[in-house]
Amino acid sequence: MAIFKVEGGRRLRGEITPQGAKNEALQILCATLLTQEKVIVHNVPQILDVIQLIELLQAMGVEVERLSEESYSFRAADIDPDYLHSDDYCRRASRLRGSVMLLGPMLARFGVGYMPKPGGDKIGRRRLDTHFIGFQKLGATLDFDTAAACSEVRCKELKGCYMLLDEASVTGTANIIMAAVMARGFTTIYNAACEPYIQQLCLMLNRMGARISGIASNLLTIEGVRELHGTEHTLLPDMIEVGSFIGLAAMTRSELTIRNVSFENLGIIPAQFARLGIRFEQHGDDIYIPQQEHYRIENFMDGSIMTIADAPWPGLTPDLLSVFLVVATQA
């Protein structure tokens, strides 16, 4: 079997570029189903979840062309909705959790979406109620087969409405947005997730002809359109990788430059590392971390012990809590 052998005690030096964001990639690739015209996506990360989703889109009838190592074109001109009920679709879709975001685009364009029980990380129940409640408010019907653990949503016509999401779910918000962009009338989504990846999805859809306002806030207004068109889109760098590299430099007392981080989309992440005493410099869109022998955690103004907690955007992403925990053990 393959193994990694790690020999510690060495400092690092050099530069590294983070890959494209997986969480953005999954929703952007699903959004290519909303048009029959060509959509080109750059900075696509070469990781298993993304590769499996691309293969699933191909099996559904999407013409996929790999333009370079990290760029693809997608053209969903000949999709067969009946394929959704095949054993092959169920097998492929159940392997990755991101396939749930196929529901919104399929419902918007073809009036039907089908979802077997999704796979993904084994971290306990990750409910999909927000997705389905949103679809139902737009006028879709939900049929859940308990025995097969499969869900089907259908509609003759989606109609815009007001909805207050019960949780600011990122994937739920993305799914509902993709359904609502082609619904008749206006849709208002309150308590919407507003992470940079949601902002990126909205900006891409607007370039395709959608009419979404309130981007970057938790109150989105969507005026439905009859059709969307092709576009070109570049994925943001993965903020989790950026944060992990900052932690790596601090833990190994190394000098490291992280290239093309899209600093304005990192939110509170750099500031939280600074609170741990980690020095860094912003050089354009790069982060330079000088070698530090020691770093000291700040106290609050009243002298109490520093507390770092996750929160919905623009708070700290929970995916980095483990990195902060390990870094804090050495501060």
Side-chain angles (χ1 to χ4, degrees), residues 52-95:
Q52 287 183 341
L53 180 57
I54 292 173
E55 292 173 348
L56 176 56
L57 290 170
Q58 286 180 299
M60 293 172 66
V62 178
E63 297 176 22
V64 179
E65 181 183 358
R66 189 170 186 179
L67 305 176
S68 66
E69 185 176 347
E70 297 178 341
S71 297
Y72 292 81
S73 74
F74 301 86
R75 187 167 181 267
D78 190 21
I79 303 299
D80 179 13
D82 292 335
Y83 169 73
L84 301 183
H85 291 281
S86 69
D87 291 339
D88 186 65
Y89 174 80
C90 291
R91 178 180 59 82
R92 292 177 182 271
S94 62
R95 287 192 303 179

Side-chain angles (χ1 to χ4, degrees), residues 59-236:
M60 293 172 66
V62 178
E63 297 176 22
V64 179
E65 181 183 358
R66 189 170 186 179
L67 305 176
S68 66
E69 185 176 347
E70 297 178 341
S71 297
Y72 292 81
S73 74
F74 301 86
R75 187 167 181 267
D78 190 21
I79 303 299
D80 179 13
D82 292 335
Y83 169 73
L84 301 183
H85 291 281
S86 69
D87 291 339
D88 186 65
Y89 174 80
C90 291
R91 178 180 59 82
R92 292 177 182 271
S94 62
R95 287 192 303 179
L96 68 155
R97 185 167 185 82
S99 62
V100 69
M101 285 182 288
L102 296 171
L103 287 174
M106 290 297 295
L107 189 61
R109 189 168 162 207
F110 301 101
V112 61
Y114 184 74
M115 187 69 239
K117 183 178 180 180
D121 301 332
K122 306 302 182 184
I123 59 173
R125 180 174 184 258
R126 302 171 74 178
R127 68 193 190 97
L128 300 175
D129 304 50
T130 303
H131 302 244
F132 293 120
I133 292 172
F135 296 148
Q136 288 175 315
K137 287 183 179 293
L138 291 171
T141 58
L142 169 64
D143 180 21
F144 180 69
D145 185 337
T146 305
C150 296
S151 305
E152 182 180 72
V153 285
R154 284 186 174 273
C155 70
K156 291 184 178 179
E157 181 184 44
L158 293 175
K159 298 179 181 179
C161 66
Y162 169 87
M163 65 179 78
L164 172 61
L165 303 188
D166 62 337
E167 63 170 344
S169 163
V170 175
T171 56
T173 299
N175 229 346
I176 295 168
I177 289 171
M178 290 188 282
V181 289
M182 296 176 70
R184 181 163 60 88
F186 286 83
T187 299
T188 301
I189 308 173
Y190 196 22
N191 195 31
C194 53
E195 272 78 356
Y197 306 141
I198 291 291
Q199 298 173 35
Q200 285 283 94
L201 174 65
C202 291
L203 292 171
M204 174 181 141
L205 292 173
N206 278 354
R207 292 196 302 273
M208 295 170 69
R211 297 172 182 172
I212 306 171
S213 59
I215 298 172
S217 78
N218 68 347
L219 179 61
L220 297 174
T221 300
I222 303 170
E223 181 183 358
V225 297
R226 297 188 64 179
E227 63 179 359
L228 296 177
H229 307 285
T231 190
E232 195 163 344
H233 181 80
T234 300
L235 301 177
L236 292 175

Side-chain angles (χ1 to χ4, degrees), residues 230-246:
T231 190
E232 195 163 344
H233 181 80
T234 300
L235 301 177
L236 292 175
D238 196 313
M239 68 174 71
I240 310 306
E241 277 203 10
V242 174
S244 299
F245 293 150
I246 294 174

